[in-house]
Amino acid sequence: MPGSVPDNVGSAAQKPTVNSGGSTEKVRVFTSRWGRLFYGDDAKFSGALSFNSGLKDQWVSIPTGQDSASQKNEINQRLLLSLQYSPFSYWFANVTFRMPLRDINKYSADFRYSFGYDDWHPNTFSLVYGNYGDNRFFPTSNNRRTYPEQGSWTGAYKFSLPKELEKYLLLQKGDALTCQVGYTWVPRYYSLADNDRKINKSILLGGCGYSFVQHWFFRFSAFYYPDSRQQQPWDSDYTYSFGYSGYTPGSFSIQYTNYSGTRYPWRSNANALFREGTISLIYYIPF
């Protein structure tokens, strides 16, 4: 749905390590937090090939023609190809192509895209546009291929916790804990209650990611909607993910993510079903 959280597609936009396998890499030294704005990773192109699978049957709408679709109750499985171009530093443009493993036809494939500036280091700002809605190569009648105005703009600030606090939270040497706070604005979004398009959706966000010796990780994010009427059934109160990632080209990642419209336990429509999440196996393509 427009404005929803993307599936994890193994984007190579974030790399929490600068070396692997004992190899030596050239590392720039910056004297200010703004030094990386136009200097960062040397890699121009990156990509990932992913297999995503749900953990339970769910009703899936499958376009079968320009004006037709079928409904099936099955485990939703997809292949995803994510390609990213970084002209310099941590500026990037990313496109992800998605194809279901069943009922394949030209109408069932779709794509998602994003661009902006996103530095994974602490004490940095990011600004990212992402469109994770209904973008089709072959749209059905009366629909466009994509709706740029229904994408989301997110500004965020990443930071480390104070050393005095961090020493009580880190389990072992080599672990890392990075948090962020931010704001998301969606110019136009679909309201289920009104069955219509609305404007100016606002979301406040915060979260932290914990890395165990660089590769094992757990991430948690929470969201707040200043106007509660703007939160749709697919908009989560919180999301979480965990798994293992090699990050470097030629390596693999396996992870679980849950972006399923979770609700806090104290809400009347509380849900936090583990089987609503997705398992992903990701291969980082060595260009």
Side-chain angles (χ1 to χ4, degrees):
M1 286 294 180
S4 60
V5 181
D7 332 21
N8 191 302
V9 294
S11 167
Q14 298 180 5
K15 302 177 184 176
T17 63
V18 294
N19 54 58
S20 64
S23 60
T24 301
E25 298 181 10
K26 183 167 58 178
V27 178
R28 293 188 177 94
V29 176
F30 303 99
T31 57
S32 77
R33 71 182 61 182
W34 304 109
R36 287 187 295 268
L37 189 59
F38 297 104
Y39 297 96
D41 285 344
D42 292 323
K44 298 292 185 182
F45 295 94
S46 57
L49 183 64
S50 309
F51 166 72
N52 284 11
S53 177
L55 300 178
K56 57 176 287 189
D57 290 343
Q58 58 180 314
W59 286 103
V60 180
S61 179
I62 304 167
T64 56
Q66 194 169 15
D67 296 296
S68 61
S70 63
Q71 298 285 329
K72 287 191 175 181
N73 190 27
E74 61 186 19
I75 294 179
N76 192 10
Q77 295 180 327
R78 288 192 180 101
L79 285 178
L80 295 83
L81 174 63
S82 178
L83 301 175
Q84 184 162 296
Y85 174 64
S86 300
F88 49 83
S89 183
Y90 298 97
W91 298 89
F92 74 95
N94 180 286
V95 60
T96 297
F97 308 97
R98 309 194 312 164
M99 175 69 72
L101 292 184
R102 302 184 183 93
D103 304 296
I104 300 173
N105 61 68
K106 69 178 184 179
Y107 296 102
S108 61
D110 62 10
F111 65 96
R112 296 178 168 185
Y113 57 97
S114 59
F115 59 84
Y117 180 84
D118 189 9
D119 184 347
W120 57 266
H121 294 87
N123 305 316
T124 58
F125 290 92
S126 64
L127 178 62
V128 174
Y129 169 86
N131 194 309
Y132 314 114
D134 193 19
N135 306 303
R136 300 281 177 176
F137 295 103
F138 297 93
T140 55
S141 295
N142 302 319
N143 287 305
R144 285 185 275 155
R145 182 166 286 108
T146 184
Y147 293 81
E149 70 278 11
Q150 294 178 33
S152 59
W153 292 91
T154 299
Y157 177 71
K158 298 181 181 68
F159 59 94
S160 297
L161 298 179
K163 295 297 183 182
E164 295 76 14
L165 178 60
E166 195 176 63
K167 67 182 180 180
Y168 294 107
L169 299 176
L170 299 183
L171 300 178
Q172 58 186 340
K173 185 178 181 180
D175 290 0
L177 179 63
T178 302
C179 299
Q180 72 168 356
V181 294
Y183 168 76
T184 294
W185 172 62
V186 185
R188 292 186 66 86
Y189 69 98
Y190 176 75
S191 170
L192 184 64
D194 301 297
N195 192 27
D196 197 7
R197 304 290 177 183
K198 297 294 184 178
I199 62 172
N200 296 330
K201 183 177 185 176
S202 294
I203 308 169
L204 301 177
L205 62 93
C208 291
Y210 189 106
S211 297
F212 301 85
V213 195
Q214 296 185 339
H215 295 291
W216 296 95
F217 67 88
F218 175 80
R219 301 187 185 107
F220 178 88
S221 296
F223 306 92
Y224 174 71
Y225 302 80
D227 184 348
S228 60
R229 295 171 298 179
Q230 294 183 337
Q231 185 178 15
Q232 303 304 310
W234 50 85
D235 289 332
S236 301
D237 282 349
Y238 63 93
T239 63
Y240 61 98
S241 63
F242 58 85
Y244 173 90
S245 185
Y247 298 107
T248 56
S251 66
F252 286 88
S253 172
I254 183 168
Q255 51 192 265
Y256 167 90
T257 57
N258 195 320
Y259 302 135
S260 63
T262 49
R263 295 291 181 268
Y264 293 121
W266 55 83
R267 297 192 60 176
S268 59
N269 55 346
N271 73 78
L273 301 177
F274 183 84
R275 292 187 63 193
E276 295 288 344
T278 300
I279 292 289
S280 301
L281 178 62
I282 303 165
Y283 173 66
Y284 297 103
I285 302 171
F287 281 100

